[in-house]
Amino acid sequence: MEYHFPDNTVSSSVTYMRTREGPNHFRVYYKNAAVIRMTPKEVGAVFGVARFTPSVNKIRDWCYEMVKEYGSDMDKDNQEYKNYIAKHGFGPEVHSDPTANTKMIT
């Protein structure tokens, strides 16, 4: 199954490839070359010095969403993915402590 990044252009394209056998991966087309990368961090590295631009950050965030939604347990066990979840999370409940504003009744 293939999932294409919604803002793909003629000069750059990112596709998440789900496979029945073997690991899921990303196919990245950039500067007339197609490469296969396994993690969202590696996908960002393909773009070289442009890896910190807003558009590449948007691609990297989309890649993390694909791993969250369709990734295998091995993909979700990756330390880079865990760091991303700890930093960004997928909702406000991830960053708030439910016991922070409570008072003890004596």
Side-chain angles (χ1 to χ4, degrees), residues 39-48 50-51 56 60:
T39 66
K41 186 174 181 181
E42 292 174 353
V43 170
V46 169
F47 295 95
R51 74 179 130 218
V56 176
R60 194 179 303 109

Side-chain angles (χ1 to χ4, degrees), residues 48-64:
V49 296
R51 74 179 130 218
F52 300 114
T53 60
S55 58
V56 176
N57 287 338
K58 190 174 175 183
I59 290 171
R60 194 179 303 109
D61 289 341
W62 176 82
C63 291
Y64 280 115

Side-chain angles (χ1 to χ4, degrees), residues 8-21:
N8 282 340
T9 63
V10 175
S11 60
S12 68
S13 171
V14 179
T15 305
Y16 184 65
M17 310 290 288
R18 286 180 62 194
T19 58
R20 192 166 25 153
E21 298 175 2

Side-chain angles (χ1 to χ4, degrees), residues 23-49:
N24 298 338
H25 59 274
F26 296 95
R27 181 180 61 208
V28 183
Y29 174 76
Y30 182 64
K31 289 189 176 180
N32 294 326
V35 294
I36 292 175
R37 296 294 182 247
M38 298 301 196
T39 66
K41 186 174 181 181
E42 292 174 353
V43 170
V46 169
F47 295 95
V49 296

